[in-house]
Amino acid sequence: MENIIRIAVQKSGRLSDDSLSLIKECGIKFYNGTGKLKSTSTNFPIEFLFLRDDDIPGYVADGVADLGIVGENELVEKDKDVNVLKKLGFSKCRLSLAIPKSESYTGIDYFEGKNIATSYPKILGDYLQSKKISAAIHEISGSVEIAPSIGLAEGICDIVSSGSTLMMNGLKEVEEIFKSEAVLIANKDLSEEKVSIVDKLLFRMNAVQTGKSNKYILLNAPNDSLDKIVSIIPGMRSPTILPLAQKGWSSVHAVISEDQFWENIEGLRAAGAEGILVVPIEKMVL
Ligand code: ATP
Ligand code: MG
């Protein structure tokens, strides 16, 4: 079928909710009842495959799916030849080396000649090689944190987000070796028809992402401080200024990035701004 694209998303796990929300925010409607493995959108030429994340890079490389949403950790580990179209900014985590809390860590040489348990033998192997460390890598598919306490390995390499799982298992993080977030990947040989559908999807995703990182700001200010305020918040093109019913006062509206807002809030208040409202933007097309 040439006039529809197929996207592989994680069936259930730490990527699923954000992947599906992003697609919904793009205005794409579909039904994903529990246990469903396939679904087709009712208002966009896209079909969904719900899979384990481990299988997503391979399905996209083989062309079973045209697109996929997967963590960079899984993508690099599986080492498949696909195009990365976009970083998606969610499911952020890191892969780290950890050792028992009671051990004193001396630097990466600590691992020379040791045993390390991991679900990421390729990423870990490449890292150790780049550091010229030879260690025995033991691949296990889950509950890696338990390996040191059962005598399987002296250290582990696993996904960390807050570090609480490590702590519960008496481990401490000693080296971060890889940073990951969710990415949108594509098969390398998409037909022209499919590329044009993918471009439409990317256009919508960009609008959603840009909207999220920006805010609509409204504030009131005395007219004599408007120049100062406008210099602080330049806005998309230039801010909108509307007179208030109260003489000598105006309302200023502008779009600014969220970071910029926090950096400039004191400056705005000092310049005389009052009643500052910050409103989320759903979509933004520049
Ligand atoms: P599956 O059953 O699909 O194989 P899984 O158990 O391998 O799922 P999850 O735990 O759902 O995987 O994690 C999926 C991806 O989410 C990971 O590969 C990683 O990119 C990211 N991830 C993992 N842990 C976290 C976390 N604590 N916070 C944010 N993102 C995470
Ligand atoms: Mg998995």
Side-chain angles (χ1 to χ4, degrees):
M1 258 197 300
E2 283 300 314
N3 54 358
I4 182 162
I5 53 170
R6 232 188 212 180
I7 186 168
V9 293
Q10 191 190 23
K11 184 167 157 35
S12 75
R14 292 193 153 105
L15 288 157
S16 315
D17 288 351
D18 287 334
S19 302
L20 297 181
S21 315
L22 172 62
I23 289 161
K24 284 183 185 149
E25 283 166 323
C26 289
I28 295 172
K29 296 204 168 80
F30 59 94
Y31 173 73
N32 68 314
T34 40
K36 254 192 127 184
L37 300 179
K38 237 173 99 176
S39 174
T40 307
S41 167
T42 50
N43 66 348
F44 193 86
I46 193 166
E47 185 177 70
F48 300 89
L49 294 185
F50 300 107
L51 302 170
R52 285 201 58 188
D53 70 343
D54 309 56
D55 299 330
I56 294 175
Y59 275 34
V60 173
D62 297 345
V64 175
D66 304 306
L67 296 179
I69 295 179
V70 71
E72 288 170 302
N73 54 322
E74 209 59 60
L75 178 62
V76 173
E77 182 60 33
K78 290 292 184 290
D79 200 17
K80 299 285 181 188
D81 197 18
V82 297
N83 287 332
V84 175
L85 300 184
K86 195 171 172 50
K87 291 199 181 227
L88 298 173
F90 57 80
S91 298
K92 287 190 176 171
C93 58
R94 58 190 188 271
L95 269 181
S96 290
L97 283 161
I99 61 171
K101 256 188 268 181
S102 52
E103 296 288 316
S104 62
Y105 185 64
T106 49
I108 190 68
D109 290 348
Y110 177 93
F111 291 101
E112 181 64 38
K114 296 246 172 32
N115 298 286
I116 311 173
T118 188
S119 311
Y120 296 91
K122 175 177 161 40
I123 297 178
L124 176 59
D126 289 351
Y127 177 81
L128 293 175
Q129 200 177 13
S130 76
K131 299 284 177 191
K132 305 205 164 42
I133 299 292
S134 60
I137 297 176
H138 295 265
E139 182 177 357
I140 45 180
S141 60
S143 305
V144 173
E145 314 80 23
I146 204 171
S149 66
I150 58 173
L152 179 68
E154 290 93 355
I156 66 157
C157 171
D158 203 10
I159 289 179
V160 181
S161 59
S162 68
S164 59
T165 311
L166 290 182
M167 211 143 75
M168 272 188 323
N169 286 284
L171 300 172
K172 62 180 176 189
E173 185 177 0
V174 292
E175 300 280 349
E176 175 184 306
I177 72 162
F178 189 85
K179 264 187 182 333
S180 177
E181 66 183 85
V183 285
L184 178 70
I185 56 172
N187 178 269
K188 286 202 145 173
D189 314 301
L190 294 181
S191 66
E192 244 174 76
E193 292 92 330
K194 287 191 177 186
V195 167
S196 81
I197 304 173
V198 171
D199 284 345
K200 276 188 195 146
L201 179 66
L202 275 175
F203 179 83
R204 294 189 188 193
M205 283 186 177
N206 288 334
V208 171
Q209 265 190 347
T210 316
K212 272 195 188 151
S213 55
N214 286 279
K215 301 284 170 203
Y216 194 73
I217 175 170
L218 304 92
L219 57 86
N220 295 333
N223 289 343
D224 55 13
S225 63
L226 286 177
D227 286 349
K228 180 91 214 271
I229 285 173
V230 168
S231 74
I232 299 174
I233 42 167
M236 263 210 292
R237 201 169 279 276
S238 89
T240 308
I241 298 179
L242 301 166
L244 289 189
Q246 185 180 347
K247 235 179 148 221
W249 280 74
S250 296
S251 168
V252 180
H253 299 196
V255 172
I256 62 173
S257 77
E258 178 143 43
D259 301 344
Q260 236 183 352
F261 170 74
W262 290 114
E263 277 163 28
N264 291 320
I265 178 73
E266 293 310 326
L268 290 173
R269 282 159 55 93
E274 290 183 1
I276 303 172
L277 300 182
V278 179
V279 184
I281 297 172
E282 194 175 278
K283 291 174 189 83
M284 191 162 148
V285 179
L286 295 170

